[in-house]
Amino acid sequence: MTLDQATIDRLAAAPVAPAKLLINGEWTEGEGEPMPVLSPIDGSRMTTLASASAGDVARACAAARAAFEDGRWRNMAPAARKAVLHRLADLIDRETLPLAVLGVRDNGTDIGMAVKAEPGSAAQTFRYYAEALDKVYGEIAPVQSNVLAMIHREPVGVVAAIVPWNFPLMIGAWKVAPALAMGNSVVLKPAETASLTLLRLAELALEAGVPPGVFNVVTGPGRVTGEALALSPDVDVLVFTGSGATGRRLLQYSAQSNLKRCYLELGGKSPNIVFADAPDLGAAAKAAAMAIFRNAGQVCVAGSRLLVEASVHDRFVAELAEAAKKMKVGNPLSLSTQIGAVNSLTQLEGNLGFVADAAREGGEIVIGGGRTLEETGGWYMDPTVVTNVQPQHRLYQQEVFGPVLAVTPFTDEAEALRLANATEFGLAAGVWTSNLSRAHRMVRGIRSGVVHVNTYGGADITVPLSGTKQSGNGADKSMHALDKYVDLKTAWIQL
Ligand code: NAD
């Protein structure tokens, strides 16, 4: 779609009404104190968010449970459910720009990226799972001839989805669409700093014909609303994207409550590995800058550790720094901006803390390192490149989730592989080489959910996004995601 600045500015000037909770098809105030929503663009107060108490969460879960039990959604003919999800995708398409602008005001992603990654991919995801829902069959097992052993796939019941702030619509759709497609009810808990577009999505879902109670949204603090949801005995499956620290808590809540299944998509510290025989080092340098700096580094699969063969290290870092300096940091609603705002002041302060620690530990700051555009009142950071980062440094081991790149040289393939795997994470990786055998060896050797070769960050709804090690378990996207939302049940019938 062609974007024009005047339309974006007009949409961005619209006031945003105080947000409510969606429970059983009704918009209600939360019992907690409403939370201010501050825009990362200029720090201004946009609106307020309802804060769901444990009681509100219990009501949402009970509504989801009742909707599941009476079969108002799961017993609808598959063709009818498919039509509803297609209608929802069409409604998202109709609202692409308003949704994208609202999301940018809420979370700070640059508008160019937001249009494609947020409503664009959400609509695509709902269409994909709408089409999938009547193509998943049961099975008949090859047992002895006087028995019919049928394997049914049944919806699991109530799915709780807890999502982060970086791409709320996209990640929300990755969970809500397959859960609904398989006939489950959903209670969604968006992040405090990116709830508004998901509330609008829920409104559109009602308009599309998702029955009341099937899709509920509760907003509020993670330690109150999210915790109550994760402890709820009404929830059968918990699907989560966010930090490892929260993921750990969710497993504890599951153990303390009803042993609900937990699928965790967590953080990363993904290595982007450049060999001297890369087909085009200049192109690789530009791609390496994009890999870490797009969306101000707030991307789970960001290539945040650059491993470069020592013989080309200095030249490569210089080219990368040049490319980074050309990326314009600014108001995310401006079409000329390439790097928007950091989501919150807390996140910005955390990013700056990483840079300070890296410098203390012996890292060399090549470009950036500081806050910028402070006069706007918003939260912005310069793209930052730190060289001489060693495996024992904090910047090597911990996820920043900001525009900070850690660079480390290596001398041969074995060292590159060792360095690549030397963190607790295993989400994504990149390898740049002209040597086909080496590329395959690295794909096999790197422990991560995806390894990109001679590119970084390609993705499609048809391929899974999954982590290994402490980057999580289970898969979002693709047909594999459906496994999280069904139970297998066997009927063993004596003939
Ligand atoms: P976060 O863990 O702080 O918050 C995520 C969600 O959990 C929010 O909705 C929050 O309110 C909720 N939450 C917080 N504490 C909770 C608690 N005690 N109980 C229940 N819910 C709670 O993460 P974030 O800062 O919003 O997101 C950034 C993180 O997400 C990064 O680590 C990033 O790598 C990760 N991420 C991963 C993927 C992936 O697919 N693997 C994608 C995007 C982001």
Side-chain angles (χ1 to χ4, degrees):
M1 89 186 286
T2 323
L3 301 175
D4 84 278
Q5 194 64 59
T7 311
I8 293 168
D9 293 345
R10 182 175 51 74
L11 288 166
V16 181
K20 296 185 178 174
L21 313 173
L22 181 62
I23 300 177
N24 209 15
E26 307 275 337
W27 293 99
T28 66
E29 312 278 350
E31 286 180 339
E33 192 60 33
M35 304 165 70
V37 178
L38 305 181
S39 176
I41 297 175
D42 55 9
S44 65
R45 185 183 166 113
M46 278 172 74
T47 185
T48 55
L49 207 58
S51 188
S53 66
D56 294 320
V57 172
R59 272 186 289 285
C61 293
R65 171 61 56 198
F68 182 75
E69 297 299 339
D70 72 18
R72 70 188 81 162
W73 176 245
R74 75 183 149 110
N75 290 343
M76 208 186 253
R81 265 192 284 133
K82 175 194 272 206
V84 170
L85 296 183
H86 270 297
R87 246 188 330 269
L88 176 53
D90 292 344
L91 291 174
I92 297 169
D93 276 345
R94 185 192 73 190
E95 301 240 339
T96 295
L97 201 51
L99 272 168
V101 169
L102 181 65
V104 170
R105 293 170 71 189
D106 202 6
N107 84 339
T109 294
D110 63 278
I111 185 74
M113 180 177 228
V115 165
K116 287 192 217 117
E118 284 282 273
S121 76
Q124 190 192 27
T125 300
F126 276 100
R127 274 197 191 101
Y128 180 86
Y129 289 109
E131 279 307 319
L133 72 82
D134 56 2
K135 296 176 186 65
V136 186
Y137 288 70
E139 294 157 24
I140 295 179
V143 295
Q144 66 262 37
S145 62
N146 62 344
V147 167
L148 175 62
M150 303 166 74
I151 303 165
H152 296 271
R153 286 190 167 78
E154 299 194 331
V156 290
V158 175
V159 173
I162 302 183
V163 298
W165 44 259
N166 57 335
F167 294 103
L169 267 184
M170 176 172 79
I171 295 171
W174 288 347
K175 316 230 185 257
V176 174
L180 290 181
M182 292 296 99
N184 300 284
S185 299
V186 174
V187 181
L188 172 68
K189 153 72 178 88
E192 296 85 319
T193 54
S195 292
L196 300 178
T197 52
L198 285 169
L199 289 162
R200 181 68 187 135
L201 175 78
E203 210 171 2
L204 295 177
L206 285 176
E207 188 181 337
V210 175
V214 171
F215 180 18
N216 308 274
V217 185
V218 289
T219 56
R223 289 307 292 267
V224 179
T225 312
E227 183 171 317
L229 185 56
L231 282 167
S232 169
D234 268 325
V235 170
D236 298 294
V237 166
L238 176 59
V239 286
F240 171 72
T241 296
S243 63
T246 305
R248 278 192 169 77
R249 289 206 177 96
L250 298 182
L251 292 174
Q252 287 171 349
Y253 301 149
S254 167
Q256 282 165 29
S257 55
N258 60 343
L259 290 176
K260 57 182 68 66
R261 261 170 270 162
C262 296
Y263 296 101
L264 310 174
E265 296 282 335
L266 307 173
K269 192 78 201 184
S270 300
N272 190 14
I273 307 161
V274 179
F275 288 94
D277 67 0
D280 179 345
L281 281 169
K286 288 196 185 81
M290 280 300 288
I292 177 65
F293 298 129
R294 67 194 169 131
N295 201 27
Q298 302 164 134
V299 176
C300 57
V301 294
S304 53
R305 277 187 300 141
L306 179 69
L307 308 179
V308 199
E309 193 159 348
S311 59
V312 293
H313 174 276
D314 292 355
R315 172 183 150 205
F316 192 86
V317 170
E319 286 200 42
L320 183 144
E322 264 324 293
K325 276 191 220 151
K326 287 190 189 130
M327 294 175 86
K328 185 168 172 242
V329 181
N331 184 326
L333 288 167
S334 163
L335 284 170
S336 62
T337 288
Q338 283 156 304
I339 301 177
V342 173
N343 178 254
S344 66
L345 186 56
T346 315
Q347 180 67 40
L348 175 60
E349 286 168 352
N351 297 350
L352 298 174
F354 268 98
V355 177
D357 284 354
R360 235 190 327 275
E361 290 183 310
E364 190 189 323
I365 296 160
V366 179
I367 55 162
R371 183 175 180 175
T372 185
L373 302 174
E374 200 166 343
E375 67 283 2
T376 61
W379 308 308
Y380 299 89
M381 183 169 175
D382 281 322
T384 301
V385 177
V386 186
T387 53
N388 197 31
V389 179
Q390 304 301 318
Q392 67 276 17
H393 292 173
R394 181 171 173 243
L395 187 58
Y396 195 95
Q397 295 295 340
Q398 293 180 20
E399 180 182 48
V400 179
F401 218 54
V404 184
L405 179 65
V407 186
T408 308
F410 66 84
T411 49
D412 59 24
E413 189 181 313
E415 188 185 19
L417 189 55
R418 193 169 45 73
L419 286 170
N421 285 332
T423 74
E424 69 191 26
F425 296 107
L427 194 55
V431 176
W432 299 79
T433 179
S434 299
N435 180 327
L436 187 62
S437 299
R438 167 181 281 162
H440 283 292
R441 282 194 298 272
M442 294 300 284
V443 169
R444 284 189 182 177
I446 295 172
R447 291 191 65 203
S448 65
V450 58
V451 181
H452 304 98
V453 178
N454 294 331
T455 184
Y456 197 97
D460 192 86
I461 186 64
T462 58
V463 295
L465 172 65
S466 55
T468 182
K469 294 160 76 179
Q470 292 187 38
S471 287
N473 63 320
D476 274 337
K477 301 163 61 195
S478 82
M479 297 296 277
H480 295 284
L482 296 175
D483 293 346
K484 298 189 289 193
Y485 305 104
V486 290
D487 274 332
L488 298 180
K489 179 197 275 177
T490 300
W492 182 275
I493 303 168
Q494 190 71 44
L495 299 177

